[in-house]
Amino acid sequence: MNSMLQCLSNVPSLRTFFLDGTYKGDLNLTNPLGANGELAESFAKLLQLMWGNSASSVAPRNFKHVLGRFAPQFAGYGQQDSQELCNYVLDKLHEDTNRVRDKPYVANFEENGEPDVQIAAEVQKRHKMRNDSTIADLFEGYFKSTVVCPKCDKVSVTFDSFMSVAVPLNAEDT
């Protein structure tokens, strides 16, 4: 948890968003996918401790307690996967600060031979109708997938959002 919190706290735009209180205007306390704004509030307080001038060391007890209430898999003191924890925290921070209060139904975009730039723009527009937060602005990207039917040669192009990318390491390279 320490390494993940150190990494997130050193993203200047994220740190500023929480330290200057901007996040409060975006708090979404009723989002069923979020943590009732509690994780965002706890993260902001943790950053204030970490980046304030009053402490030489910080123990993230309150943050860990709030996290454990919403994610029991992180409640204990066992070894955890840092990437899994980071993904969970970013997702909850996103949902706690999602500016979209009532998520509309958004149909999948079916491309029809348009250039990739147009397809990506339309997918992003539709995605933002349900997911609009500073966290998404900072951390989301899109994977492009191209599938070609072996029988009729029809090409299908899709763009899927992501917040992190797992990069496997070859055992011979380590």
Side-chain angles (χ1 to χ4, degrees):
M1 181 190 306
N2 180 47
S3 63
M4 184 277 301
L5 290 172
Q6 289 290 334
C7 288
L8 287 182
S9 79
N10 277 284
V11 176
S13 299
L14 180 68
R15 184 175 61 238
T16 300
F17 176 68
F18 282 99
L19 286 179
D20 71 7
T22 304
Y23 78 96
K24 290 180 182 183
D26 293 344
L27 272 180
N28 189 337
L29 306 177
T30 60
N31 186 346
L33 300 175
N36 307 321
E38 293 179 45
L39 197 69
E41 290 281 9
S42 182
F43 187 70
K45 288 176 186 170
L46 177 60
L47 289 179
Q48 289 166 357
L49 288 172
M50 291 172 74
W51 291 89
N53 294 326
S54 61
S56 60
S57 66
V58 174
R61 285 183 191 92
N62 184 57
F63 180 80
K64 180 162 178 29
H65 174 73
V66 172
L67 178 67
R69 280 198 355 256
F70 290 97
Q73 68 269 31
F74 300 120
Y77 291 95
Q79 187 71 20
Q80 300 292 334
D81 182 75
S82 169
Q83 182 185 9
E84 182 182 338
L85 175 62
C86 186
N87 287 340
Y88 182 86
V89 169
L90 285 176
D91 182 58
K92 288 303 177 205
L93 291 176
H94 158 68
E95 295 295 353
D96 273 359
T97 59
N98 193 347
R99 296 176 198 105
V100 178
R101 299 302 189 243
D102 295 313
K103 294 185 178 193
Y105 169 75
V106 178
N108 284 337
F109 178 68
E110 295 289 329
E111 59 90 18
N112 197 18
E114 298 90 350
D116 286 351
V117 170
Q118 287 179 331
I119 298 168
E122 182 61 28
V123 167
Q124 186 175 25
K125 180 181 118 190
R126 289 172 186 231
H127 181 75
K128 202 151 181 94
M129 291 170 68
R130 296 180 52 87
N131 300 285
D132 184 17
S133 74
T134 296
I135 308 304
D137 294 344
L138 292 172
F139 293 98
E140 274 189 348
Y142 293 88
F143 284 124
K144 175 187 172 188
S145 299
T146 304
V147 177
V148 180
C149 177
K151 293 186 179 187
C152 68
D153 289 331
K154 180 178 177 352
V155 177
S156 174
V157 177
T158 59
F159 288 85
D160 297 306
S161 67
F162 66 87
M163 263 205 215
S164 70
V165 178
V167 180
L169 297 176
N170 185 342
E172 295 171 7
D173 294 338
T174 58

